[in-house]
């Protein structure tokens, strides 16, 4: 009997231990879930407070030019959402809104949607100044009620319409158009090439258009992309263009593409993934979340560097067909923006096998410049930026601070000087070529003027100890230049690159090369 009682106690202890282990496991599982939930709830409550504190009237001018007012708030149905009610003037005589349209944004049920909503709100000192709305920004106003918002919107519309007052001429149609204000609306006088003229009494049709009706034919003057279009339309919707007139006062700052780039998208060197691309619109993203969308931006060249400039930001580019990088900053220069500098630069390469020149062995140069500050040795070309494979692409995340390039040491411009190095073959049978990338010139992102002040290679010969010969041409811009050499599988290949012609420096007679990168290339079959 004692034997069974002892066994029973042992079983009781085991069951108790199992319960304790199970309870501990449940506690361990529940803690992170509770923590994640409480973190999301805290962020959501902060966002709710931000929107509530800044609810009110926002002005909107769409990319097509239409103007409206938005009333922004945050509401809850099944979940919280940003409420967006859109108002347009329907009664221009009395400056009053019609019925509102719109409703709200997606329900904020998780961190992904919350972060997307937060990214739309631009704040200064805790106050919302604008909200991203598709391809435009809603601008915060001080309007306190619907009446003030309607008056604000009417003034914006009327101020813009006043810019079309005066005399206009269309060379193509030969029509002259004079637009004046009158007691109720506008008077437009159209004069044809044959000397005949006709007056049209017009009133507001919408925020872009004034119109008048005569004998069942409507006459319209509409603002379109910095111009005004004069046209007619009958009751059967048959429209006829009567003239298109330039109005300089209406023309806004537009996208300016002053220099061509090899790429249309650039990886921003940063501790978090950042990217900028441009085309019909410019898009800037962080962590794959769009932060800015701009319809007006500028692409230009400065000191040999290609630049992208958009609202509040500049990107200093290192261009290239297969590798294209950028340094993002605000203000006058990258050097003056300490936060951007800290984000893009490291003191050295963190891992030896991630340096741009880690496959290059036994590098040497025919001459090397030495001054009281530095020795500009060829080894300086091998540890300039990091490289890693990401989805089959070779990418970079940071640049080495104060990198020192190779600079030839001859008294003249360096024609005939060379660098030599060895590359060892890959054991992968699919690799049949070496991919070589050169960053030409003196490229220091903090000191961009040094690129033009020093000489740059214009053409160079490339030859190997296996009998391969080629000529490589370089454009006079801060960009990567790529070429290939055959891979011999029986041993290392010795490569020699010789300067044949140069772009002269504006200040120094020295020719520089900043970086050398080598990779294995898969066959093309």
């Amino acid at each position: 009997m004692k034997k069974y009682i002892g066994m029973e106690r042992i079983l009781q202890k085991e069951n108790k231990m199992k319960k304790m282990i199970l309870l501990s496991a449940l506690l361990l599982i529940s803690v992170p879930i509770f923590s994640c939930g409480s973190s999301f709830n805290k962020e959501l409550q902060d966002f709710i407070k931000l929107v509530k504190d800044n609810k009110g009237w926002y002005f909107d001018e769409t990319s097509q030019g239409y103007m409206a007012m938005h009333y922004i708030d945050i509401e809850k149905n099944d979940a919280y959402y940003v409420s967006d009610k859109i108002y347009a003037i329907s009664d221009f005589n009395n400056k009053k809104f019609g019925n509102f349209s719109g409703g709200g944004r997606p329900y904020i049920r998780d961190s992904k949607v919350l972060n997307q909503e937060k990214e739309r709100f631009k704040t200064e000192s805790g106050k919302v100044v604008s909200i991203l709305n598709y391809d435009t920004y809603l601008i915060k106003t001080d309007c306190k009620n619907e009446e003030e918002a309607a008056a604000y919107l009417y003034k914006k519309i009327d101020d813009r319409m006043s810019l079309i007052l005066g005399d206009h001429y269309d060379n193509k149609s030969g029509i002259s158009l004079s637009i004046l204000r009158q007691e109720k609306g506008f008077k437009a006088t159209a004069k044809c090439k044959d000397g005949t003229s006709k007056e049209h009494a017009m009133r507001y049709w919408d925020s872009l258009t004034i119109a008048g009706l005569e004998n069942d034919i409507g006459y319209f003057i509409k603002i379109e992309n910095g111009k005004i279009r004069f046209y007619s339309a009958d009751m059967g919707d048959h429209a006829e263009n009567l003239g298109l007139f330039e109005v300089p006062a209406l023309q806004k700052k537009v996208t300016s593409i002053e220099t061509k780039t090899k790429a249309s998208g650039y990886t921003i060197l940063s501790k978090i993934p950042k990217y900028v691309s441009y085309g019909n619109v410019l898009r800037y993203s962080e962590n794959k979340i769009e932060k800015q969308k701009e319809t007006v931006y500028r692409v230009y060249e400065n000191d040999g560097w290609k630049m992208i400039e958009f609202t509040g930001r500049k990107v200093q580019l290192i261009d290239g067909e297969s590798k294209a990088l950028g340094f993002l900053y605000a203000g006058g220069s990258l050097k003056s923006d300490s936060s951007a500098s800290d984000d893009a630069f490291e003191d050295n390469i963190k891992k030896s096998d991630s340096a741009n020149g880690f496959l290059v062995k036994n590098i040497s140069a025919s001459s090397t410049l030495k001054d009281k500050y530095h020795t500009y040795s060829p080894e300086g070309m091998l540890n300039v930026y990091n490289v890693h494979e990401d989805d089959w692409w070779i990418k970079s995340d940071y640049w080495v601070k104060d990198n020192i390039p190779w600079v030839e040491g001859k008294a003249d411009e360096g024609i005939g000087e060379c660098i030599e190095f060895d590359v060892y073959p890959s054991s992968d049978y699919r690799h049949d070529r070496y991919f070589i990338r050169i960053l030409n010139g003196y490229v220091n992102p903090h000191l961009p003027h040094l690129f033009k002040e020093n000489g740059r290679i214009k053409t160079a010969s490339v030859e190997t100890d296996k009998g391969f010969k080629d000529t490589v041409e370089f454009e006079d811009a801060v960009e990567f230049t790529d070429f290939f050499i055959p891979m011999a599988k029986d041993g290392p290949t010795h490569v020699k690159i010789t300067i044949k012609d140069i772009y002269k420096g504006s200040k120094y007679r020295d020719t520089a090369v900043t970086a050398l990168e080598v990779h294995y290339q898969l066959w093309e079959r």
Side-chain angles (χ1 to χ4, degrees):
M1 189 70 178
K2 287 182 180 178
K3 184 178 180 181
Y4 288 108
I5 292 171
M7 183 63 69
E8 187 177 339
R9 286 176 179 172
I10 290 171
L11 290 172
Q12 285 174 349
K13 286 183 179 179
E14 286 182 351
N15 288 333
K16 189 175 182 180
M17 287 295 293
K18 287 178 181 178
K19 288 178 181 178
M20 291 177 68
I21 291 169
L22 180 60
L23 181 60
S24 299
L26 288 171
L27 285 170
L28 285 170
I29 293 169
S30 64
V31 167
I33 293 172
F34 177 78
S35 299
C36 290
S38 61
S39 174
F40 168 72
N41 289 333
K42 173 66 167 60
E43 290 184 25
L44 177 58
Q45 292 305 315
D46 288 344
F47 180 65
I48 292 169
K49 185 177 186 306
L50 174 72
V51 181
K52 283 290 184 187
D53 289 348
N54 292 273
K55 69 179 181 180
W57 295 95
Y58 289 74
F59 170 72
D60 180 24
E61 182 178 351
T62 69
S63 56
Q64 293 80 28
Y66 290 101
M67 292 181 177
M69 296 295 284
H70 294 238
Y71 189 84
I72 301 295
D73 198 352
I74 192 159
E75 299 179 13
K76 186 177 182 180
N77 192 349
D78 291 339
Y80 282 101
Y81 65 95
V82 176
S83 170
D84 182 1
K85 297 176 181 177
I86 307 169
Y87 294 79
I89 291 182
S90 60
D91 183 351
F92 280 92
N93 289 331
N94 297 303
K95 305 173 188 177
K96 288 185 177 181
F97 290 140
N99 294 329
F100 71 83
S101 61
R105 300 281 298 183
Y107 285 128
I108 306 173
R109 301 184 190 274
D110 53 45
S111 294
K112 181 179 179 181
V113 177
L114 175 58
N115 288 332
Q116 288 172 346
E117 288 298 275
K118 286 166 65 176
E119 292 293 339
R120 296 196 307 123
F121 284 69
K122 283 193 172 182
T123 62
E124 292 180 4
S125 303
K127 294 184 177 181
V128 176
V129 292
S130 64
I131 304 171
L132 181 64
N133 185 54
Y134 302 105
D135 59 350
T136 59
Y137 284 93
L138 310 181
I139 307 301
K140 185 77 167 67
T141 72
D142 294 325
C143 299
K144 296 180 178 62
N145 51 50
E146 186 174 318
E147 186 179 353
E148 287 186 11
Y152 181 97
L153 180 58
Y154 181 87
K155 187 175 187 309
K156 282 282 190 181
I157 294 169
D158 204 52
D159 285 348
R160 181 175 63 182
M161 199 62 73
S162 68
L163 298 177
I164 74 171
L165 302 178
D167 299 325
H168 310 281
Y169 181 72
D170 177 25
N171 287 317
K172 187 175 181 180
S173 65
I175 291 179
S176 297
L177 185 66
S178 176
I179 306 171
L180 303 171
R181 281 195 187 275
Q182 57 183 16
E183 185 179 352
K184 292 184 178 180
F186 303 85
K187 181 175 75 172
T189 304
K191 187 175 182 179
C192 300
K193 286 189 292 185
D194 61 7
T196 59
S197 63
K198 189 173 184 180
E199 292 185 356
H200 305 276
M202 294 187 165
R203 295 186 180 185
Y204 276 110
W205 178 263
D206 58 34
S207 62
L208 284 173
T209 313
I210 56 176
L213 182 65
E214 297 174 27
N215 300 321
D216 293 333
I217 296 177
Y219 291 88
F220 302 84
I221 297 175
K222 183 177 181 180
I223 295 172
E224 292 183 357
N225 300 318
K227 302 175 183 179
I228 52 173
R229 181 178 298 280
F230 180 40
Y231 64 98
S232 65
D234 60 22
M235 302 301 287
D237 290 332
H238 173 264
E240 180 183 1
N241 283 316
L242 302 175
L244 186 64
F245 307 86
E246 296 277 352
V247 184
L250 282 175
Q251 293 172 1
K252 298 180 179 180
K253 182 182 176 184
V254 295
T255 294
S256 175
I257 309 295
E258 300 164 28
T259 188
K260 291 183 178 179
T261 60
K262 292 283 195 336
S264 59
Y266 294 84
T267 298
I268 304 298
L269 294 180
S270 171
K271 292 179 174 62
I272 64 170
K274 297 180 182 179
Y275 194 77
V276 65
S277 63
Y278 74 89
N280 292 332
V281 295
L282 179 142
R283 300 174 188 272
Y284 167 66
S285 62
E286 295 179 3
N287 281 322
K288 298 184 179 180
I289 297 173
E290 189 172 285
K291 298 277 285 185
Q292 278 183 252
K293 185 177 180 181
E294 305 283 349
T295 56
V296 175
Y297 60 91
R298 182 184 176 207
V299 181
Y300 62 100
E301 182 268 335
N302 185 36
D303 284 332
W305 290 77
K306 296 171 186 178
M307 306 286 296
I308 300 176
E309 185 173 344
F310 55 105
T311 305
R313 303 174 190 267
K314 293 179 183 177
V315 185
Q316 193 170 306
L317 304 177
I318 298 180
D319 205 9
E321 292 181 348
S322 61
K323 189 184 190 78
L325 307 175
F327 299 87
L328 178 76
Y329 65 92
S333 68
L334 176 62
K335 189 175 182 180
S336 66
D337 186 345
S338 58
S339 61
S341 231
D342 292 342
D343 196 31
F345 293 88
E346 296 285 347
D347 291 327
N348 49 58
I349 300 292
K350 296 173 183 176
K351 292 169 59 180
S352 60
D353 62 351
S354 68
N356 59 282
F358 80 99
L359 285 179
V360 175
K361 309 298 180 185
N362 308 318
I363 192 167
S364 63
S366 56
S367 66
T368 296
L369 177 68
K370 296 180 182 180
D371 60 22
K372 62 181 180 180
Y373 304 107
H374 305 291
T375 297
Y376 300 85
S377 67
E379 287 81 6
M381 296 185 291
L382 307 182
N383 298 283
V384 182
Y385 50 88
N386 78 314
V387 293
H388 64 87
E389 288 191 19
D390 184 6
D391 297 330
W392 295 97
W393 293 96
I394 305 297
K395 293 192 175 183
S396 300
D397 301 314
Y398 62 85
W399 202 265
V400 171
K401 194 180 298 180
D402 301 322
N403 63 288
I404 305 301
W406 169 62
V407 182
E408 51 77 29
K410 283 185 69 176
D412 58 16
E413 284 89 357
I415 292 175
E417 295 304 284
C418 65
I419 56 170
E420 301 183 56
F421 57 91
D422 296 325
V423 283
Y424 285 74
S426 166
S427 58
D428 189 331
Y429 70 92
R430 297 172 302 167
H431 293 144
D432 63 352
R433 294 180 295 170
Y434 295 102
F435 175 92
I436 299 179
R437 175 180 286 132
I438 287 178
L439 182 56
N440 185 32
Y442 199 127
V443 178
N444 184 329
H446 282 132
L447 302 170
H449 59 278
L450 291 177
F451 180 77
K452 285 290 189 178
E453 289 183 355
N454 287 274
R456 292 84 61 201
I457 300 176
K458 187 174 184 179
T459 57
S461 64
V462 180
E463 54 187 313
T464 73
D465 61 345
K466 311 300 183 186
F468 174 80
K469 292 184 179 181
D470 198 5
T471 298
V472 179
E473 296 182 353
F474 298 83
E475 293 189 23
D476 194 14
V478 178
E479 64 180 42
F480 293 106
T481 301
D482 307 331
F483 56 94
F484 301 93
I485 61 172
M487 180 185 294
K489 290 290 189 177
D490 59 350
T493 298
H494 187 75
V495 184
K496 182 179 181 181
I497 301 175
T498 305
I499 301 172
K500 292 298 183 182
D501 197 5
I502 58 103
Y503 300 102
K504 291 185 178 181
S506 62
K507 187 173 182 179
Y508 305 107
R509 299 185 71 191
D510 311 304
T511 298
V513 178
T514 292
L516 173 65
E517 185 179 343
V518 177
H519 294 287
Y520 300 130
Q521 183 72 14
L522 288 169
W523 62 23
E524 295 181 359
R525 298 187 183 182

